[in-house]
Amino acid sequence: QAALVSLVLTAASFLCGSWRGTGKENKMKKMVLVILTLVLAMAIRATANAAAPNIEMVHVKGGCFQMGDTFGNGGKDEKPVHEVCVSDFNIGKYEVTQAQWLAIMEKNPSTFFGDRRPVEQVSWDDVQEFIGKLSAVSGYAYRLPTEAEWEYAARSGGKREKWAGVSDESRLTDFAWYYADSDKKTHAVG
């Protein structure tokens, strides 16, 4: 990418420094300069997209649901239960992996190492920095889901489920790693 930028800038400098000639020649030089600029922009965009990790997203169809402690055993901040409507949105299919985090942030704060394990030990500010950098290199506008979007997605589209896919704790191991089956460490996503 640096060599391409240097080449385009050298050519542009040469063209700009030699505007002498007929009007037709100057128009041709300007057209070449515009083409070189477009080639440079496309090359930078292609290089940036190649450097961006693949974050697999899923589309969630919006709808209305009862948000909050619908089971009666949550905290004060989950009450009162109230109806919330969300529009369609996209959300990451999996947690951000350590490999994806490293591709953008160049450091791994996690306690449990593994490229396919979720990144952990990050603050809200760390995540905002990651999202900003990811958006810049990928060309897509990433953001965290709202609290309502997260709960709607985690409850399989707003269903009355305690956990995504199930409310019966004896079946939770079929759907997730949690304190009873995780051996107190993170596991590969997917």
Side-chain angles (χ1 to χ4, degrees):
Q1 181 179 350
L4 183 60
V5 170
S6 178
L7 174 67
V8 171
L9 291 176
T10 301
S13 174
F14 171 76
L15 289 170
C16 290
S18 62
W19 286 125
R20 295 178 199 85
T22 67
K24 188 175 183 180
E25 288 172 338
N26 284 339
K27 284 182 183 177
M28 182 62 83
K29 289 177 185 177
K30 286 180 184 177
M31 187 172 12
V32 169
L33 183 59
V34 167
I35 291 169
L36 286 173
T37 303
L38 289 172
V39 167
L40 175 62
M42 288 170 34
I44 290 172
R45 174 71 184 245
T47 303
N49 284 337
N54 180 30
I55 306 287
E56 189 175 352
M57 305 294 281
V58 294
H59 181 77
V60 178
K61 180 86 173 122
C64 298
F65 74 110
Q66 293 298 307
M67 183 173 172
D69 178 20
T70 58
F71 287 89
N73 59 355
K76 291 179 186 177
D77 61 339
E78 298 177 84
K79 297 175 184 166
V81 174
H82 54 287
E83 183 173 83
V84 174
C85 298
V86 296
S87 300
D88 292 5
F89 62 98
N90 293 318
I91 193 167
K93 185 172 183 176
Y94 306 109
E95 300 95 330
V96 172
T97 67
Q98 293 174 35
Q100 293 166 331
W101 184 271
L102 275 168
I104 298 297
M105 301 299 283
E106 301 176 357
K107 62 181 188 237
N108 185 356
S110 299
T111 300
F112 304 104
F113 293 105
D115 283 350
R116 293 198 53 239
R117 287 184 173 187
V119 69
E120 19 101 4
Q121 305 299 319
V122 295
S123 68
W124 186 88
D125 290 331
D126 296 334
V127 173
Q128 293 305 312
E129 182 181 354
F130 172 80
I131 289 170
K133 289 179 177 182
L134 176 63
S135 296
V137 299
S138 69
Y140 298 106
Y142 288 92
R143 65 173 178 85
L144 287 173
T146 65
E147 183 179 2
E149 289 170 339
W150 170 252
E151 186 170 330
Y152 185 78
R155 289 174 46 196
S156 307
K159 294 178 183 172
R160 192 174 185 273
E161 297 173 340
K162 202 166 196 177
W163 303 283
V166 67
S167 293
D168 178 4
E169 189 169 348
S170 68
R171 294 192 52 229
L172 189 54
T173 57
D174 297 338
F175 296 88
W177 293 109
Y178 74 116
Y179 68 88
D181 71 345
S182 68
D183 198 25
K184 299 182 181 174
K185 61 184 177 184
T186 63
H187 295 267
V189 304

